[in-house]
Amino acid sequence: MHCVSVLALAASLLVFPARADALDLFGWLPFGSKTADEQDQPPVVDPLPYEASLRVSGGSADLEAALAASSELLSQGDRLPSGEAGLIARAVSDFERLVGRLYVGGYYAGTVKIRIAGLDLEQALATPSLPGPRPIPVIISVEPGPLFSFGTIDISAADDSSGVVEQVANGATYGLVRGETANSEKILRAEKAIVSDLKAAGHPFARISRREIVADHDTNRLDVRLSVAAGRAARFGKVSVSGAEATDPDFIVTQAMIPQGRAYSPAELERATGRLNELGIFSSVRIVPAENVGPDGLLPMTIEVSERKRNVIGVGANWSSSEGFGVESYWRRRNLFGRGELLSIEGSIGRIADNSLSDLEYSARIAFEKPGAFGPQTRFTTSLGAKQEVPDAYRSRSITADAFYERDVNDVLSFKVGGEVQYADENDAFGNQTYLLTGVIGQVNYDTRDDPLNPTKGINAVVFAEPAYDVRGGNAMLFTRGQVSAYQALDDAARFVLAGRLGAGSIIAPSVRDIPAARRFFSGGGGSIRGYAYRNVGPRRNGEVTGGRSFFEASGEIRMKATETIGVVGFVDAGNSFDAMYPDFSQGLKVGVGAGLRYFTPVGPLRFDIAVPLDPEKDDPDFAVYVGLSQAF
């Protein structure tokens, strides 16, 4: 017995071409780049064949490789130029690129010579027709010369802001150190960092007004003199909006939270842009300062937005060998009343062709979200849903209504509080039961991950608690659970990443049968213990899984990036659900091990995992396959 689990990919329509390497998924080319014809490039008129070679006298092997990579004559040899004029133009461009590459390496006394058909580049430019046979020989000769180091470093004010510029006058702070290799990129990085620091200090129009670079060929020293114009300090002034059509401009200004009257800060503008993008109603957001600081020191700001389409329809499908075929769809109305509101209607049907019509799994839900309901960085959400679940362990029909207040405390911490009412009619190993639960919910999220879909560092932690009361059964209960995931790259390039996850939960209730089956803890399957059947690990009654009042799970992965697009993962999962209110490990831990591949795309890694259960029980497969988008956790 085996199990295959396939994650649904929501899309309106995917059309697969006859050639696999021509497949284009929204700009992502999973089988490589397009050819010139596929990129709609016009055919080359009068293509001229040539053969280029590079000769480097002196310098390191790394320098020679860098020069070769910079040369268009070498790197674009398969894209022939248009006639002799095209070849000469490519050679002229190469001359500039190669000289720039030498400067990047710290070589300021080098020479670059390009000969085309036996002629120097200057001669080729003046020749009506290139002599000799085809393909035309092109020889690139480079003599790097001596390596230069930094000499005098001088950073001074170009205006009356000498006091401010003194804060950035230490060249060593920005990588310009006397005696070190005079890499031209160091100078550019230093300029960028100086301007960035001055802007962060409240000077929005800081710039490098003059750069003077002097190479002393007698001493092989490079003197650098930078004149810095800090400009006037500014405070945030009046904020206006342009481009808004359906959205209330006052709502945009409020949600942006630009602190008018406070010192200008690029970081504040970046956070404001992020807050507006998170609303999900804009396709683009730009915050543009006025051209000049006002006499009062205030700098007006304009928020330029472009609104997304307000109506969205989506469809999706999924299949697994154990649960059959499923379909899902949704309709969403963005910006319902012009202040970021979202109305969603969602529905799904599962286990099609696997069960009779009465045993299908289905769900329907209507949800409403209002951002800024109680001020910036807050949301009000409410929903009403109905669903039927028919896993092997139970059948559950339920209707749930909920409402929440949500708040983002800062960039990494958020919480929500609210309540729910749920009616459930269930049939499981204990027989038929009905429940009417009312509960108060609290949840806290802490997330410092660098990328939610493919994290290489950070922590993601969630803590949930819900005291609830079953009106029909007269039982009080407390649902709690928590999970923390941590990620740590082992090298600077993040090609090797350790990932770990711990999760635990507890339900304080008189007994397991007093808890709705759909709310009990079951383990097994993707997102839990890979290799085991979905929700098939836990306490059993007459051989059937009943679910438990507690659980504990742990996962560990080593993620290795073999190439820029291919990754390899090894993992182990362990855990179990228990009848006791707290994990007592009375049944021992179930362990699953496996390995997988990752294909990295612009929208996250595609995941393909194979897992084997080390201690399978009834209904567990020999192995399981999982396919999805993003890492497993």
Side-chain angles (χ1 to χ4, degrees):
M1 178 181 176
H2 67 278
C3 174
V4 179
S5 177
V6 180
L7 183 73
L9 294 177
S12 297
L13 181 63
L14 290 181
V15 179
F16 292 90
R19 289 176 47 223
D21 60 1
L23 180 60
D24 185 341
L25 298 179
F26 312 109
W28 167 53
L29 306 171
F31 300 102
S33 60
K34 292 182 178 180
T35 65
D37 290 340
E38 290 167 338
Q39 293 174 347
D40 297 325
Q41 295 184 1
V44 176
V45 178
D46 187 24
L48 181 64
Y50 70 92
E51 292 182 351
S53 60
L54 173 66
R55 301 173 183 175
V56 180
S57 301
S60 64
D62 290 342
L63 175 62
E64 183 171 353
L67 290 168
S70 299
S71 170
E72 291 184 348
L73 286 168
L74 295 173
S75 62
Q76 296 190 15
D78 56 348
R79 176 70 177 169
L80 298 181
S82 177
E84 295 179 356
L87 177 59
I88 293 173
R90 187 174 292 184
V92 170
S93 173
D94 246 24
F95 180 84
E96 297 174 352
R97 295 168 66 89
L98 293 171
V99 170
R101 186 68 249 182
L102 288 176
Y103 288 174
V104 168
Y107 298 92
Y108 294 88
T111 60
V112 176
K113 295 181 180 179
I114 300 178
R115 295 180 63 83
I116 304 176
L119 302 175
D120 290 337
L121 183 55
E122 295 81 359
Q123 294 175 307
L125 284 167
T127 301
S129 179
L130 296 175
R134 271 49 172 172
I136 293 177
V138 179
I139 300 175
I140 307 168
S141 301
V142 179
E143 294 184 6
L147 187 65
F148 278 61
S149 57
F150 284 120
T152 300
I153 306 296
D154 179 49
I155 302 173
S156 58
D159 51 19
D160 58 358
S161 56
S162 57
V164 175
V165 173
E166 284 180 0
Q167 303 173 23
V168 295
N170 185 0
T173 303
Y174 299 99
L176 304 181
V177 181
R178 184 182 180 90
E180 290 192 357
T181 301
N183 186 316
S184 65
E185 286 186 341
K186 291 181 181 179
I187 301 174
L188 297 177
R189 285 197 298 267
E191 292 179 356
K192 184 177 180 181
I194 289 169
V195 171
S196 177
D197 284 353
L198 288 173
K199 288 185 175 182
H203 296 262
F205 301 111
R207 61 188 177 89
I208 303 296
S209 62
R210 186 167 179 265
R211 177 201 304 142
E212 183 179 340
I213 309 295
V214 179
D216 188 334
H217 293 269
D218 293 330
T219 62
N220 298 331
R221 295 277 184 173
L222 192 76
D223 296 334
V224 180
R225 294 179 175 84
L226 301 178
S227 295
V228 181
R232 292 181 59 193
R235 291 172 289 121
F236 287 118
K238 181 181 179 181
V239 180
S240 59
V241 175
S242 70
E245 298 177 2
T247 312
D248 184 347
D250 290 340
F251 171 75
I252 297 175
V253 173
T254 301
Q255 292 299 115
M257 295 177 62
I258 298 175
Q260 299 182 40
R262 285 175 51 182
Y264 172 87
S265 167
E268 286 285 0
L269 296 182
E270 184 177 352
R271 286 191 288 268
T273 301
R275 284 190 285 265
L276 294 176
N277 279 321
E278 287 173 359
L279 293 173
I281 60 177
F282 302 120
S283 59
S284 68
V285 176
R286 292 178 64 237
I287 303 179
V288 182
E291 295 182 357
N292 298 293
V293 180
D296 54 1
L298 296 178
L299 181 64
M301 312 297 297
T302 301
I303 302 175
E304 298 179 352
V305 299
S306 177
E307 296 181 349
R308 302 174 69 182
K309 293 181 178 179
R310 300 178 71 184
N311 293 311
V312 183
I313 297 176
V315 296
N318 60 79
W319 177 86
S320 81
S321 60
S322 62
E323 297 182 26
F325 182 71
V327 295
E328 59 188 51
S329 65
Y330 62 84
W331 172 85
R332 291 173 183 165
R333 173 73 170 184
R334 299 191 184 109
N335 218 1
L336 184 63
F337 303 121
R339 297 180 68 86
E341 301 89 352
L342 177 66
L343 178 66
S344 301
I345 299 177
E346 307 162 359
S348 66
I349 302 176
R351 310 197 75 156
I352 300 173
D354 187 55
N355 289 338
S356 63
L357 291 178
S358 62
D359 290 336
L360 292 178
E361 290 195 335
Y362 59 80
S363 68
R365 180 174 178 265
I366 181 170
F368 175 77
E369 176 181 325
K370 181 174 177 56
F374 307 97
Q377 296 186 286
T378 68
R379 288 174 298 280
F380 170 75
T381 65
T382 184
S383 70
L384 175 65
K387 64 180 178 181
Q388 172 171 282
E389 298 175 88
V390 194
D392 294 335
Y394 62 87
R395 175 197 296 272
S396 173
R397 297 186 181 94
S398 64
I399 299 176
T400 304
D402 59 38
F404 293 98
Y405 164 83
E406 302 180 11
R407 180 176 178 81
D408 298 326
V409 179
N410 51 42
D411 292 340
V412 299
L413 182 64
S414 63
F415 69 87
K416 70 176 182 179
V417 294
E420 72 170 358
V421 177
Q422 181 182 66
Y423 174 81
D425 182 355
E426 300 186 337
N427 193 301
D428 64 355
F430 296 108
N432 183 257
Q433 297 281 340
T434 59
Y435 306 86
L436 179 60
L437 261 63
T438 60
V440 177
I441 296 174
Q443 180 171 306
V444 178
N445 295 69
Y446 178 78
D447 189 354
T448 64
R449 293 174 296 176
D450 56 342
D451 182 350
L453 296 178
N454 185 32
T456 61
K457 63 180 180 179
I459 294 173
N460 183 38
V462 180
V463 177
F464 170 94
E466 179 188 4
Y469 182 75
D470 178 14
V471 176
R472 294 185 66 86
N475 295 312
M477 55 195 77
L478 174 64
F479 299 89
T480 62
R481 65 176 182 270
Q483 178 174 289
V484 59
S485 303
Y487 313 87
Q488 179 61 57
L490 302 181
D491 60 317
D492 292 339
R495 303 191 76 87
F496 296 86
V497 177
L498 288 178
R501 175 182 63 179
L502 289 175
S506 170
I507 304 174
I508 299 176
S511 67
V512 170
R513 71 180 302 160
D514 293 319
I515 307 167
R519 299 294 301 271
R520 300 171 197 158
F521 292 125
F522 295 81
S523 297
S528 177
I529 313 170
R530 283 167 285 187
Y532 294 85
Y534 177 63
R535 309 197 76 171
N536 197 54
V537 175
R540 293 178 180 264
R541 177 186 173 90
N542 299 325
E544 300 297 327
V545 180
T546 62
R549 289 184 289 176
S550 62
F551 82 97
F552 173 84
E553 293 177 354
S555 298
E557 291 191 351
I558 175 69
R559 302 170 181 174
M560 297 162 284
K561 200 170 185 180
T563 69
E564 290 305 310
T565 56
I566 300 295
V568 181
V569 173
F571 60 84
V572 57
D573 298 333
N576 210 328
S577 299
F578 309 96
D579 183 76
M581 287 188 290
Y582 304 99
D584 59 2
F585 303 98
S586 55
Q587 287 88 28
L589 297 181
K590 297 287 187 178
V591 179
V593 298
L597 295 175
R598 303 292 184 267
Y599 190 98
F600 299 100
T601 78
V603 294
L606 286 176
R607 180 178 76 254
F608 180 87
D609 287 339
I610 300 178
V612 176
L614 299 188
D615 185 19
E617 293 194 48
K618 178 185 176 183
D619 297 327
D620 284 325
D622 298 325
F623 66 93
V625 178
Y626 305 91
V627 180
L629 184 64
S630 83
Q631 296 285 5
F633 60 88

